[in-house]
Amino acid sequence: MRNAALTLGIIAGVIGMIVGFFGFGYTELVKNVGEVEEMFGMFDDPETVRIVSILAPLLAIAGGAMAKARALWGGILLLLSAAAMFYAFGFNVFTMFPIAFAGLGGVLALAAGKPDEPKAHF
């Protein structure tokens, strides 16, 4: 389960980076070219989109990397990444895979049967 969480977290982070590039880039484009906002609209909270565009993929990759050695921490980071992407971008055709992969990776990391230390982590 830890290996699956590691793989899903890294894949979610890479796909999340692509979504983040477009999210951050779109907010920059609207800031610099006002006509784009009139034609296509703008996010409700562009500053949140900018922050999540950077942090959510970072959390997913870090959570995936930590899942093998520290499943509890890795699982928490993966779930935070999925929640942040859902909050900032919503669930749509571009975000369904990074959200689903990070969420599933987080659940698998938390459900890993072998605890990190001699005592259980719950």
Side-chain angles (χ1 to χ4, degrees):
M1 275 200 268
R2 290 174 186 233
N3 287 335
L6 179 141
T7 304
L8 288 169
I10 292 174
I11 292 170
V14 170
I15 298 171
M17 281 176 28
I18 295 168
V19 172
F21 288 144
F22 283 101
F24 197 98
Y26 183 75
T27 59
E28 275 294 309
L29 181 67
V30 168
K31 189 169 90 172
N32 293 325
V33 182
E35 293 83 22
V36 174
E37 183 176 7
E38 295 170 10
M39 289 174 46
F40 299 109
M42 181 57 167
F43 290 106
D44 292 333
D45 189 3
E47 202 56 38
T48 300
V49 169
R50 293 170 141 228
I51 292 169
V52 170
S53 293
I54 296 168
L55 287 182
L58 182 69
L59 289 175
I61 292 172
M66 292 175 71
K68 196 158 182 159
R70 291 285 178 200
L72 178 63
W73 287 95
I76 290 170
L77 290 179
L78 284 164
L79 291 175
L80 282 173
S81 172
M85 280 190 262
F86 181 76
Y87 176 75
F89 300 112
F91 191 82
N92 57 54
V93 71
F94 301 107
T95 61
M96 64 182 172
F97 287 111
I99 291 172
F101 284 7
L104 179 60
V107 169
L108 288 175
L110 291 177
K114 184 178 163 189
D116 297 328
E117 307 204 15
K119 57 183 179 182
H121 56 267
F122 292 103

